[in-house]
Amino acid sequence: MRRSQWILLSTVCGLGLATAPAVAQQAPASAEASDESAIIVTARRQNERLQDVPASVAVLTSDTLQRTGAVKAEDFVKLTPGVTIVTGTAEAGDTQINIRGINGARDAESSVALVVDGILKTNTAQLNQPQGTLQQVEMLKGPQGAIYGRNAAAGAIVIQTLKPTDTLTGAAKVSYGQYNTLEATAHVAGPISDKLGFVLSGYAASTDGFYTNVLTKEKSVDDKQNWAVDGRLVYGQGTATQLDLKARYAKFSGASLPFNAAFHLPNFAAANPAFYEDVNKHPFKFYNNIRPTNDQKSVDLSLKLDQELSDSLKLVAWGLYSDVKQDLVADGTSADFARFISSKDPRVQSSINSCFASTAALKGYPVNQPGAIGQIPVPFIFAPANGSTFGPYSPTTCDGTQYQLRNQKDFSTEVRLIGDAGDVSWQVGAYYLNIKRKVGVSLGADTGAGVIKQLYNNATSSNPTTLLLADQFKTNVYAAFASAEYKPNDKFNAGIALRYDIEDRKSSSLVPTATDPFTGGPINPGQAFGKLTDKSASFKQFEPKVTVSYKPTSDLNLYANWGIGFKSGGFNNQGSAQLIRDNFVSAFGANVKVNDQYDKEWSSAFEGGVKGNLLDGKVTFDLAGYYTQVHNMQFFEFFVGGFGLLRVVSNIDRVDLKGLEATTTIKPMRGVRLFGSFNYTDSEIKKNSSRPYTVGNKSPYTADYTLNAGVELEKPLNDGLKVFARADYRLTGPTWFHTVQNQSIPTLFSGLLPISALQLPAVVGNGKYDVARRDAFGVANVRLGIQGDRYGVSIFANNVTNKKYLNEVITAVEFGGSFITPGTRRLIGVEGSYKF
């Protein structure tokens, strides 16, 4: 890790140690309750027992967070049934969380709200970032928009962080593991005056990563460094008027796009079996000539007011400003389509020369099968005797470069009145959000001189742009909400929540009038039909939620809830629809539809269940069933061809989801805790205008089932010292990542083969995608340690059996294959902690 980052974190640690009083005070007690049924949560924006919440809520207390090492959404998800995650496969801010079959589509709004200390975070790029000193994490399932606002169509992650303490306290934790993996956290908290307190915390992490670029011999495939500083000032804590000021700065730098390609062309398999490859059996090898990078900087500022107006009336208001800048650089994907080997424009001759020279220099280099580098950089379908098959991210310059930019600034505010009228409690309020987002994908020729990090470079530059999709998006969100809960006695509880959202969106193109120096066409395909004009649309939704609960005894809760989930529609980069029509639909009759504007997603979700505890709290359980209809489910599509690459969001008209979920915790004796959970989700696509032939297939990114099981042991050694051990096992069921599954579909090769030197029928180039499903996989994590009043040390092993599995499979149907990225491998390390 860069020296300055560790110096910064050490400063935070030093502040705490240097200012410690002569007689140190013990840190606040853990949030872990001796009786798990008595855990207090804020799932419905009010404090109540977990046992009393009429919905499925998974809670990670401070003890659980400490003993699993969980610090971010990826960690929370792996401990929660019915929830899966894909994160960091493209870039740090690229996270899709799937809850019971509802997925957050890449490039669209998230389906999961992130709420930190009562404030809704609006930028999905922060979903998998550490959020300060964690005290408790609640994972809510099902539509939560009526309670928590936008982007809560599938659920919400509700986080509580450390508040200022009455006396000076602090802690630091450092771990070191294989692959030069370092992680450290530190905080100091305490009073400044009678009414003012503070928290200052820091986080830093770095790793060389699991994989090496075999061409450059560098650890540049999945390496990363990130650090963050969080500050918090609370005035009037515990009084009638409380002001909570928070500031955060974070920085990430690392690699991007750690993908390999797997082809799914069964009719080519006779020549080479690797043309029809099961994604689960792929041997990963990375050898791109462009150093992939990803940089992210984020700034958050927020202010929250809690004002008690009377004994039964409270005002809560907050404002949040966020600024996240993010970009990535990587190799291109289109080498096999001969884009960079010919042109009539003399200004790009250096790019062509570089492609031929790099191919000649690497002739015979062992790239992934079915790839091969021959005498010339012409794909095999044109020159089968001596041509090359590169695949994406090749070691030559023939695949070009890509630069992607995603910057967002936003401001949001909410005002809420909370009242209590005896049997009825209520809330009413309003919300506003303004977003300014700049998104661009720039593909360029590779002259061997590297990537110029700007969206457009002219033909005489060392990195001339050949395709550009870039837009400025502006969004205004307005919402009003209200809720009421009726509780006439200790047995019955009923509630209703209402919310109405309006999202006004506008898209403006940032693409200049220019030509592609290789094809002579426009730099953006939409420009072939005139100037790209501004687009605007408004997306509206009424979101009710109804809950009922009946407790025949204090240890048993029967509950049901129903609600509407909503996720706004939006715009793809202008020119996307025309690019697909020209290159796929018109070229070889592909049956796929893409629009420059995608529709809003809304869902109707019902859940019923029972939760309770037995044997004086020694056994707790939660059993639930659910049924959800999702309309216009937003889905990420990735297209690759001679034009380069394209990222778009499309809609699946209707998906049905139904399933069962069970969770239990057993404490058979003091110091022993057993826990387990299981989720099964049955999903089915009922209608899909984008790809009609996929009806009957499963919802993408949805695991058939998940299973969590584990044990936690604790044994006191003396009054202030105890030894503990914890083991977690997570089994994730088979998962499709695309709407196309067992079908055989025409690809680009179906259009190219008849006109190639081979003169083969089009059907020979069809792809079949039954080998693109990720198999079920199980991962076990273990941790063993000793914890005292102040000091602690532990050893840990994540993925202790070194299970090889896939993180994500991005199927590019018309390309004839998938882009796949591996999951993390075994990581063994040691951790030390200190608190005062």
Side-chain angles (χ1 to χ4, degrees):
M1 175 166 284
R2 295 172 184 169
R3 183 181 179 188
S4 60
Q5 298 168 8
W6 286 104
I7 290 175
L8 188 150
L9 184 65
S10 299
T11 302
V12 175
C13 298
L15 282 173
L17 300 180
T19 57
V23 180
Q25 299 293 321
Q26 186 173 342
S30 164
E32 182 76 65
S34 58
D35 179 359
E36 293 199 7
S37 64
I39 294 174
I40 302 301
V41 298
T42 59
R44 295 188 294 163
R45 289 192 179 270
Q46 61 187 16
N47 291 334
E48 57 187 329
R49 294 192 313 161
L50 174 63
Q51 165 79 20
D52 298 333
V53 180
S56 293
V57 182
V59 179
L60 305 178
T61 64
S62 60
D63 273 4
T64 301
L65 295 169
Q66 176 72 24
R67 293 186 178 181
T68 59
V71 296
K72 54 187 182 297
E74 180 180 12
D75 307 322
F76 313 150
V77 164
K78 292 176 180 178
L79 296 169
T80 308
V83 186
T84 58
I85 189 170
V86 170
T87 185
T89 55
E91 55 197 0
D94 176 28
T95 299
Q96 301 93 54
I97 295 179
N98 185 298
I99 299 181
R100 293 177 172 177
I102 300 180
N103 193 64
R106 182 183 275 110
D107 294 345
E109 297 294 337
S110 173
S111 294
V112 179
L114 176 63
V115 182
V116 181
D117 295 323
I119 295 178
L120 174 66
K121 294 291 186 86
T122 51
N123 193 327
T124 58
Q126 300 186 34
L127 196 58
N128 195 43
Q129 300 299 313
Q131 298 293 328
T133 303
L134 303 182
Q135 293 296 97
Q136 184 162 292
V137 177
E138 302 165 26
M139 301 281 291
L140 286 67
K141 302 169 188 177
Q144 305 296 332
I147 300 174
Y148 281 107
R150 69 191 306 271
N151 295 350
I157 301 175
V158 180
I159 293 175
Q160 299 175 36
T161 68
L162 181 68
K163 290 183 177 180
T165 49
D166 294 335
T167 58
L168 194 64
T169 63
K173 182 174 65 176
V174 179
S175 68
Y176 178 79
Q178 295 169 286
Y179 312 106
N180 199 26
T181 301
L182 289 159
E183 185 174 45
T185 61
H187 79 265
V188 59
I192 296 176
S193 67
D194 290 343
K195 292 188 176 181
L196 184 64
F198 79 99
V199 179
L200 178 63
S201 63
Y203 171 85
S206 69
T207 181
D208 291 343
F210 297 96
Y211 303 96
T212 300
N213 185 316
V214 295
L215 176 71
T216 64
K217 311 301 182 185
E218 296 176 344
K219 297 285 285 186
S220 60
V221 176
D222 57 339
D223 62 308
K224 59 185 176 182
Q225 302 174 352
N226 65 297
W227 59 273
V229 176
D230 291 86
R232 186 176 191 181
L233 291 173
V234 179
Y235 175 82
Q237 183 171 320
T239 67
T241 302
Q242 177 178 293
L243 286 172
D244 189 349
L245 175 65
K246 297 177 69 177
R248 172 180 176 82
Y249 180 80
K251 186 176 181 181
F252 175 95
S253 60
S256 64
L257 299 173
F259 286 96
N260 276 188
F263 287 91
H264 310 317
L265 301 168
N267 294 316
F268 289 6
N272 186 338
F275 275 114
Y276 186 47
E277 183 181 26
D278 184 339
V279 293
N280 300 282
K281 299 178 180 179
H282 177 82
F284 281 92
K285 187 177 181 181
F286 301 91
Y287 40 64
N288 42 287
N289 69 299
I290 295 291
R291 194 335 180 175
T293 64
N294 174 211
D295 295 295
Q296 182 190 94
K297 295 180 182 179
S298 60
V299 175
D300 275 4
L301 296 170
S302 67
L303 179 63
K304 183 170 178 277
L305 167 68
D306 289 85
Q307 177 67 56
E308 292 183 8
L309 302 176
S310 69
D311 291 341
S312 60
L313 188 63
K314 182 178 180 180
L315 172 69
V316 178
W318 55 261
L320 168 69
Y321 170 78
S322 173
D323 183 1
V324 180
K325 295 180 172 63
Q326 181 165 282
D327 64 23
L328 71 81
V329 166
D331 246 331
T333 57
S334 59
D336 274 330
F337 300 100
R339 181 177 182 84
F340 298 108
I341 68 171
S342 63
S343 173
K344 297 179 181 180
D345 192 332
R347 296 175 297 175
V348 295
Q349 193 59 49
S350 61
S351 301
I352 299 169
N353 292 341
S354 177
C355 171
F356 276 83
S358 62
T359 300
L362 290 172
K363 179 184 176 182
Y365 184 85
V367 295
N368 286 332
Q369 289 291 316
I373 298 182
Q375 296 177 0
I376 55 177
V378 179
F380 69 95
I381 56 175
F382 298 110
N386 55 10
S388 301
T389 303
F390 295 111
Y393 316 114
S394 83
T396 75
T397 69
C398 298
D399 47 8
T401 67
Q402 57 177 298
Y403 171 62
Q404 300 190 28
L405 176 73
R406 297 176 186 278
N407 294 342
Q408 177 175 318
K409 291 183 180 180
D410 55 70
F411 170 76
S412 56
T413 183
E414 180 181 283
V415 178
R416 181 185 299 260
L417 274 176
I418 303 172
D420 187 351
D423 292 345
V424 178
S425 58
W426 55 270
Q427 300 185 31
V428 63
Y431 174 82
Y432 170 74
L433 165 67
N434 175 264
I435 301 175
K436 294 180 179 178
R437 181 183 298 158
K438 183 179 179 181
V439 177
V441 177
S442 177
L443 306 184
D446 186 357
T447 65
V451 178
I452 301 175
K453 294 178 68 172
Q454 58 188 31
L455 288 175
Y456 176 71
N457 303 307
N458 63 42
T460 61
S461 73
S462 61
N463 183 211
T465 301
T466 67
L467 175 70
L468 178 60
L469 300 108
D471 295 271
Q472 178 76 49
F473 300 100
K474 296 181 180 179
T475 301
N476 282 299
V477 178
Y478 313 89
F481 54 85
S483 65
E485 182 177 352
Y486 176 57
K487 188 176 182 180
N489 52 54
D490 291 338
K491 292 182 179 293
F492 180 75
N493 184 313
I496 183 169
L498 307 171
R499 183 183 178 95
Y500 187 71
D501 269 289
I502 301 173
E503 299 213 7
D504 293 330
R505 298 198 163 202
K506 182 179 180 180
S507 168
S508 304
S509 177
L510 300 175
V511 179
T513 301
T515 59
D516 174 357
F518 284 86
T519 67
I523 201 74
N524 181 296
Q527 291 176 326
F529 300 90
K531 183 179 179 181
L532 300 178
T533 59
D534 291 352
K535 308 291 184 183
S536 62
S538 183
F539 304 94
K540 305 173 183 178
Q541 185 65 47
F542 178 58
E543 301 159 74
K545 187 176 181 69
V546 179
T547 61
V548 293
S549 171
Y550 176 67
K551 290 180 284 186
T553 71
S554 61
D555 295 329
L556 188 65
N557 184 0
L558 308 174
Y559 65 89
N561 61 75
W562 170 83
I564 295 291
F566 164 65
K567 192 163 65 169
S568 174
F571 299 97
N572 292 310
N573 288 123
Q574 292 192 49
S576 298
Q578 191 61 46
L579 193 66
I580 297 304
R581 284 194 291 267
D582 288 350
N583 287 271
F584 294 155
V585 179
S586 299
F588 57 91
N591 189 5
V592 59
K593 183 181 180 182
V594 168
N595 298 312
D596 283 347
Q597 177 182 319
Y598 55 91
D599 294 331
K600 71 177 183 181
E601 173 184 310
W602 70 275
S603 56
S604 172
F606 171 81
E607 176 188 38
V610 56
K611 61 172 65 175
N613 68 86
L614 305 169
L615 304 176
D616 295 325
K618 291 182 179 180
V619 177
T620 61
F621 62 90
D622 189 344
L623 176 64
Y626 54 91
Y627 173 65
T628 305
Q629 285 187 358
V630 187
H631 300 265
N632 293 323
M633 176 183 279
Q634 293 170 6
F635 171 61
F636 170 78
E637 287 258 32
F638 188 60
F639 297 95
V640 177
F643 55 85
L645 61 91
L646 177 67
R647 303 166 54 138
V648 301
V649 177
S650 62
N651 292 104
I652 308 170
D653 300 72
R654 180 178 158 186
V655 177
D656 281 10
L657 306 163
K658 49 190 175 182
L660 293 171
E661 192 168 280
T663 301
T664 187
T665 300
I666 303 172
K667 297 180 179 179
M669 63 184 71
R670 183 176 179 83
V672 179
R673 181 168 166 262
L674 308 173
F675 44 88
S677 59
F678 178 76
N679 170 277
Y680 171 76
T681 299
D682 179 28
S683 64
E684 183 179 359
I685 297 173
K686 293 292 188 179
K687 184 180 179 181
N688 187 8
S689 299
S690 297
R691 296 183 181 272
Y693 52 86
T694 63
V695 170
N697 288 351
K698 293 181 177 292
S699 176
Y701 284 77
T702 301
D704 288 348
Y705 55 83
T706 62
L707 181 145
N708 288 76
V711 59
E712 190 172 275
L713 307 174
E714 181 179 295
K715 176 69 174 178
L717 299 178
N718 54 45
D719 290 341
L721 194 65
K722 56 189 175 184
V723 61
F724 70 89
R726 179 172 173 124
D728 288 273
Y729 177 74
R730 166 68 171 231
L731 177 64
T732 303
T735 307
W736 293 101
F737 288 88
H738 202 282
T739 59
V740 177
Q741 292 164 15
N742 286 315
Q743 290 77 21
S744 179
I745 303 299
T747 70
L748 282 164
F749 301 102
S750 306
L752 293 172
L753 282 174
I755 61 173
S756 73
L758 300 177
Q759 295 287 298
L760 293 174
V763 70
V764 175
N766 286 4
K768 187 169 175 57
Y769 297 93
D770 55 339
V771 291
R773 187 186 73 166
R774 182 178 68 185
D775 288 344
F777 66 95
V779 173
N781 299 334
V782 296
R783 185 175 289 250
L784 173 67
I786 298 175
Q787 182 67 55
D789 291 338
R790 295 189 183 182
Y791 299 95
V793 62
S794 61
I795 57 174
F796 61 88
N798 297 333
N799 191 2
V800 64
T801 63
N802 202 27
K803 175 66 177 178
K804 295 183 179 180
Y805 65 95
L806 296 173
N807 195 348
E808 185 178 21
V809 179
I810 300 179
T811 302
V813 175
E814 283 70 29
F815 166 68
S818 296
F819 293 81
I820 56 179
T821 184
T824 57
R825 300 301 187 237
R826 179 169 52 213
L827 179 66
I828 299 173
V830 61
E831 178 181 284
S833 63
Y834 171 77
K835 63 182 178 180
F836 65 87

